[in-house]
Amino acid sequence: GTWAREMFEQEMDAHVPRSILACKAVSREINFTSMSEMKAFRLVQKVFFQGMVMEEWRFDFGFVIPGSTNSWQQVIKAADEMMDPELLSGNITIETSFFDGASFIAKSLVRIFYD
């Protein structure tokens, strides 16, 4: 989808099939366009369960050419043991912070529901 302003201003909900919790790894792709050069584009994701940090991941993209459209794919490996989807659903939030080097760009917060 598009990165609309509300994506960075309010918590969003994401509904994900509960079968994803049985996967050993998941792949995702982020597509973005940047009007400005970024020397060290990166993101930090924190996974919260009932407000407490459970996991933290760091992803580095690197240099971004001004006026470019980019595709960024990551593979995320699952933990060896997964909690019950009923317990997780609605109690997990993922906070994603975007940076260029040490400079903060934006943050999004998504609450996960397993359907």
Side-chain angles (χ1 to χ4, degrees):
T2 353
W3 288 21
R5 176 178 288 276
E6 53 271 1
M7 178 177 173
F8 302 107
E9 294 178 345
Q10 61 192 21
E11 181 178 292
M12 297 178 298
D13 291 347
H15 292 266
V16 180
R18 68 181 56 221
S19 60
I20 199 168
L21 295 173
C23 297
K24 299 221 181 276
V26 293
S27 176
R28 70 168 176 198
E29 185 174 37
I30 299 171
N31 295 296
F32 65 95
T33 300
S34 177
M35 299 311 295
S36 305
E37 175 183 302
M38 289 188 275
K39 296 195 183 305
F41 183 51
R42 64 187 182 89
L43 64 86
V44 176
Q45 279 194 319
K46 293 181 182 178
V47 179
F48 294 85
F49 174 69
Q50 295 180 334
M52 308 254 327
V53 177
M54 286 180 38
E55 296 178 327
E56 183 173 322
W57 303 318
R58 297 173 182 274
F59 301 94
D60 295 307
F61 183 85
F63 183 77
V64 176
I65 298 168
S68 64
T69 297
N70 303 274
S71 178
W72 187 9
Q73 187 174 25
Q74 298 116 12
V75 175
I76 302 167
K77 294 183 181 177
D80 291 333
E81 293 184 32
M82 198 58 64
M83 294 171 67
D84 181 356
E86 297 299 324
L87 184 59
L88 295 173
S89 190
N91 291 313
I92 293 285
T93 53
I94 300 176
E95 176 188 276
T96 306
S97 298
F98 300 87
F99 299 88
D100 182 8
S103 299
F104 175 77
I105 299 170
K107 178 169 52 176
S108 71
L109 187 63
V110 179
R111 184 166 302 275
I112 307 296
F113 294 90
Y114 294 100
D115 298 335

